[in-house]
Amino acid sequence: MPAERGAVRIAIGSLALLGLVNLVIGLIQMRDPGFAWPFAGRPSIFPSGLFGHYNHLADFSLVSAALLSARFYFARDGVLERAVQLIGALANVSCVLISQSRGGMISLCVATVTLIALVALVAWRDKARNRRILAVSAVAMPLIAAAVAIPVLSGFQESRGIENRTIETFADNKSRLQFIGLAIDSTANHPLEGGGSRSFGWQKYAAWKPSEAGMIAANDDFVHNELLQVATDYGWIGAALVGLAIIATVLCGITGILGAEGGPSRRAQDALACGGLAAMAGTLVHSNFSFVTHTLPGTLYLGLAIGCALPRRSATEGFS
């Protein structure tokens, strides 16, 4: 299907281009935190690129990096296209780093570990010569990611003026922990059906205990944890349905990879499936730190990742 093949290439090229644009704007914002184009202002001094907040830049960038890296590794595009994919992937990784998003850094590591594991899985399916090396790499990658992430996160903490840069201090985020506690208390009032869309914005005041929690942020409708947000708004039944949909997507994606025959004609499909699953893993982990799916871009690229992860009916219908 030439039109579909062209659409995928345009989408991949666009992700690379957006990564470069975000990086350029982010570098400008590092020198001049007041630079907010295309917005009138920004709520934080950390670089945010084309987004209003650094967390959203990090989330978009890690999703783009996963999709671009998978395309670069699996697909056999022309030299120019592969160069664009590589540069775009590096630019998007750089955006995560300059954003100084702690959740974004953790999620980028998760996406990387997931992608390497899926690459190894494809190699075993195809009985590739390098499958043992890739299997060892997949096992070692969590340790490598942790070794890279810890000093980077320590630097992020230092840039926030936090002198005690231990893991305990990193996890002790009082505002997010406070919101999590308020969300859990709110779900106790209607555990099954929830309070309705964005009801956390007003329910938090009913659950708020000033003597225990102190002051809370005003006019914040979000828990900064998407699973608890769904549980608060739509009850634990709604949260379970969302969780089951995610699990079903992951299982379908992995089944599609393992059930395929492999070979050169399959590489473009593997790029989509592995990139989509890795991007899903990254952004869903990040959703535990931020309200990524409550923004239009976040919803769109999560949908893109899910669409890429789901298998197609036959290899002859694959994108290339």
Side-chain angles (χ1 to χ4, degrees), residues 108-291:
L108 176 63
C109 290
V110 171
T112 302
V113 170
T114 303
L115 183 57
I116 296 299
L118 291 169
V119 167
L121 190 66
V122 171
W124 276 98
R125 182 201 67 191
D126 294 346
K127 296 180 174 58
R129 293 180 180 178
N130 62 345
R131 63 185 184 275
R132 289 182 175 82
I133 296 175
L134 288 172
V136 173
S137 300
V139 173
M141 188 52 61
L143 297 177
I144 296 172
V148 172
I150 289 173
V152 172
L153 291 171
S154 179
F156 290 175
Q157 293 285 80
E158 184 178 7
S159 69
R160 288 168 166 78
I162 301 174
E163 296 182 1
N164 185 354
R165 300 190 293 275
T166 62
I167 296 297
E168 291 81 6
T169 305
F170 172 78
D172 186 21
N173 188 307
K174 289 182 172 56
S175 61
R176 282 187 171 87
L177 292 175
Q178 184 184 45
F179 281 149
I180 288 173
L182 292 172
I184 292 173
D185 290 342
S186 297
T187 58
N189 296 325
H190 32 67
L192 298 181
E193 74 280 8
S197 178
R198 300 181 75 162
S199 60
F200 175 76
W202 56 266
Q203 287 190 84
K204 66 182 180 185
Y205 295 112
W208 176 36
K209 299 176 182 177
S211 60
E212 298 179 6
M215 296 301 294
I216 60 175
N219 301 321
D220 196 334
D221 294 337
F222 306 111
V223 183
H224 295 256
N225 182 299
E226 293 288 38
L227 178 63
L228 285 175
Q229 183 85 45
V230 173
T232 303
D233 293 352
Y234 307 112
W236 287 108
I237 292 177
L241 291 173
V242 171
L244 288 172
I246 293 170
I247 292 171
T249 301
V250 172
L251 291 177
C252 285
I254 293 175
T255 302
I257 292 172
L258 292 176
E261 294 182 358
S265 63
R266 173 73 195 182
R267 298 191 69 86
Q269 281 194 72
D270 289 335
L272 285 175
C274 295
L277 286 169
M280 276 184 64
T283 190
L284 289 173
V285 167
H286 198 208
S287 73
N288 290 284
F289 306 101
S290 184
F291 44 92

Side-chain angles (χ1 to χ4, degrees), residues 74-89:
F74 284 108
R76 290 295 180 258
D77 297 321
V79 175
L80 179 60
E81 279 188 88
R82 297 194 78 200
V84 169
Q85 292 158 13
L86 178 60
I87 293 171

Side-chain angles (χ1 to χ4, degrees), residues 36-87:
W37 187 87
F39 303 98
R42 300 188 303 124
S44 175
I45 64 171
F46 299 117
S48 57
L50 290 168
F51 294 85
H53 195 275
Y54 66 90
N55 269 333
H56 301 310
L57 169 63
D59 195 60
F60 172 80
S61 299
L62 69 91
V63 167
S64 298
L67 293 170
L68 285 163
S69 298
R71 181 76 188 189
F72 174 80
Y73 180 83
F74 284 108
R76 290 295 180 258
D77 297 321
V79 175
L80 179 60
E81 279 188 88
R82 297 194 78 200
V84 169
Q85 292 158 13
L86 178 60
I87 293 171

